Amino acid sequence: MTAARPGPFVAWLPQPPAGPASARQWPGHAAGPLAGVRLAVKDVIDVAGLPTGAGHPRWPATHPAAVRDAEAVSRLRAAGALVVGKTHTDELAYSLGGTSAHYGAVPNPAAPGRVSGGSSSGTAAAVAAGTADLGLGTDTAGSIRVPASYCGLYGFRPSHRRAPRAGIVPLAPSFDVPGLLAREPAVLDAGLRALLGAAEGPDARRGTGDDAPAGSRPVRRLLVPDDLWSHAGPSVTRALGRAVAALTGLAPVDRRSFRAPDAPGWAHTREAFATVQAAEAWAAHGDWITEHRPEFGPGVGARFAAARAVTAERAALARTELAAGLAPLLDLLHGGDLLVLPAAPGPAPLLTGPERPSEVPAGRRAAPAPAASDHRAATVLLTCLASAAGAPALCIPAARLDGAPLGLCLVAAPGADEQLLDLLAVLAPALTRGRPAGPGSSSPAPPVVPTPPSSPTRPVAPTPPSSPTPPSAGGGASAGAGPTAAKGHR
């Protein structure tokens, strides 16, 4: 099969109608805080009556169509969202590239010529292009946050145990969680509150038993550790510098490492995470791979080959090492700090550049390119902390570098999703204007008011996406902004 350049939506299902007015003709419309909002659903998430493709043509050929909506889809539909299509994903969601050996690379509307990021590639591209207002994806190792950064979107990875996972093809259940992408903060806020609903008992949150309360709370400090930021490089640090400065009204900034002096480096934490992820990915899909022998692109294929070799003893040791590496961070987050990181180590790689994801058409074998492997390793080092901690993470479009978007990621304590949502109304306009955020620095986003189906006015009024900003002179940041290859990542 030749890998072409697909649109964001899978080709074997009806394409969404054009424009928000036509979207009301789709079945499933209901009144609610998301009434009329067009929802794109990643094709690892079940939608009743439709096949789930999971990014590989062998998956729908060996699995029946979904008989019911995934719980996440059901909650968003109940709030009024309109499912307008299912969107491309990397193979079994085991990549951050946004490319596929079977379906090609989904174009990035916010940065033409660059990848859209994976594995929620089609979902991010549909929202960035304006063919959907809200995107439902998944995040295991950054697959909401990385596409959000690459496509200039708002993205939210919820606390691990606060979002429903029933009806979603797993990758690594300890880290898998559904998340949302949007062009506008108000749409993201309304979608997340519908998705999360009320916490359901002590198992609704993940942590040490003293998880943050559901409501907002003051921020004690902003953790901006130089030893983590160094993995993004100086150009990214400069580009996001203004965004970090705009947050100083919230709390003091602390750039010291929170890693114990005698603790292994962050690369060790990333490797422990990748080992646990690999063990769980093989547990989830090893039998299917062994029976059906699907063809994978080289990156995903290498990761599954490595996953197959992970022993139970090695996985158990990695879990212990991962927990030890996370303990200082969890203590700080539970104490009221926020971790602030680049959402990705750089802008989206060029489709033809050395850092491009290494997937090729099915049937061709190639080793992953070293530059692509290095980029993936740096990405997972930044994204794995929130994933492994089961913590909520908010990505905000904050800068541009070489003409492409960059996102800033804020991580809160497990269970403190509402803290980030409440901050979003202050942070989004502050980062846009580049002035310090803080109490009174901006007005909260207007509430999302339900509108009857017959009304011509939608409760959330997403604006069309703007055209990409051209590169600044010299290819640097604009004025508004300040390994193991086989270990991989959704």
Side-chain angles (χ1 to χ4, degrees), residues 40-66:
V41 179
K42 181 177 180 177
D43 199 24
V44 296
I45 303 173
D46 286 349
V47 173
L50 300 180
T52 297
H56 199 291
R58 288 292 289 158
W59 191 268
T62 56
H63 292 79

Side-chain angles (χ1 to χ4, degrees), residues 258-290:
F258 51 81
R259 200 167 42 84
D262 58 345
W266 289 119
H268 185 83
T269 303
R270 179 197 64 218
E271 290 301 313
F273 171 86
T275 298
V276 175
Q277 182 190 23
E280 295 195 4
W282 188 255
H285 299 302
D287 289 347
W288 180 77
I289 292 171
T290 301

Side-chain angles (χ1 to χ4, degrees), residues 390-449:
L394 168 67
C395 179
I396 297 179
R400 296 188 77 86
L401 180 63
D402 297 333
L406 287 174
L408 189 69
C409 183
L410 279 71
V411 181
D417 303 64
E418 286 81 2
Q419 180 183 30
L420 293 181
L421 286 177
D422 292 345
L423 287 173
L424 177 60
V426 173
L427 296 178
L431 291 180
T432 300
R433 292 193 293 267
R435 65 183 180 86
S441 65
S442 66
S443 301
V448 183
V449 181

Side-chain angles (χ1 to χ4, degrees), residues 378-407:
T379 302
V380 176
L381 189 145
L382 294 172
T383 60
C384 73
L385 297 179
S387 298
L394 168 67
C395 179
I396 297 179
R400 296 188 77 86
L401 180 63
D402 297 333
L406 287 174

Side-chain angles (χ1 to χ4, degrees), residues 124-425:
V127 175
T131 52
D133 307 310
L134 185 65
L136 176 62
T138 60
D139 188 307
T140 302
S143 286
I144 286 290
R145 292 162 283 164
V146 172
S149 183
Y150 288 177
C151 294
L153 301 173
Y154 295 91
F156 200 104
R157 172 201 164 87
S159 294
H160 184 265
R161 299 206 182 259
R162 295 219 35 211
R165 287 170 286 152
I168 299 176
V169 177
L171 178 60
S174 292
F175 313 128
D176 297 343
V177 69
L180 295 179
L181 296 154
R183 294 188 307 277
E184 299 185 19
V187 178
L188 185 72
D189 182 280
L192 258 298
R193 294 182 192 276
L195 179 65
L196 296 179
E200 300 173 359
D203 197 44
R205 302 175 189 156
R206 173 182 177 166
T208 61
D210 56 349
D211 286 352
S216 186
R217 61 179 181 176
V219 178
R220 183 177 64 179
R221 288 180 305 177
L222 299 172
L223 306 176
V224 190
D226 288 334
D227 60 340
L228 282 170
W229 277 73
S230 67
H231 292 275
S235 61
V236 173
T237 299
R238 287 192 299 269
L240 292 174
R242 288 192 180 185
V244 174
L247 303 180
T248 56
L250 292 175
V253 171
D254 189 340
R255 296 187 180 275
R256 296 172 296 175
S257 175
F258 51 81
R259 200 167 42 84
D262 58 345
W266 289 119
H268 185 83
T269 303
R270 179 197 64 218
E271 290 301 313
F273 171 86
T275 298
V276 175
Q277 182 190 23
E280 295 195 4
W282 188 255
H285 299 302
D287 289 347
W288 180 77
I289 292 171
T290 301
E291 178 181 357
H292 297 286
R293 305 178 64 83
E295 286 278 357
F296 292 116
V300 175
R303 287 189 276 281
F304 272 119
R308 184 173 192 165
V310 176
T311 64
E313 293 77 14
R314 184 179 167 201
L317 177 61
R319 289 184 191 277
T320 300
E321 294 171 339
L322 187 58
L326 288 173
L329 173 61
L330 284 168
D331 287 344
L332 294 170
L333 295 179
H334 286 305
D337 294 346
L338 294 182
L339 177 62
V340 182
L341 292 171
L350 293 165
L351 284 166
T352 57
E355 293 180 344
R356 69 188 185 279
S358 56
E359 303 311 320
V360 294
R364 290 170 52 190
R365 298 291 184 183
S373 298
D374 291 346
H375 184 82
R376 181 165 53 244
T379 302
V380 176
L381 189 145
L382 294 172
T383 60
C384 73
L385 297 179
S387 298
L394 168 67
C395 179
I396 297 179
R400 296 188 77 86
L401 180 63
D402 297 333
L406 287 174
L408 189 69
C409 183
L410 279 71
V411 181
D417 303 64
E418 286 81 2
Q419 180 183 30
L420 293 181
L421 286 177
D422 292 345
L423 287 173
L424 177 60

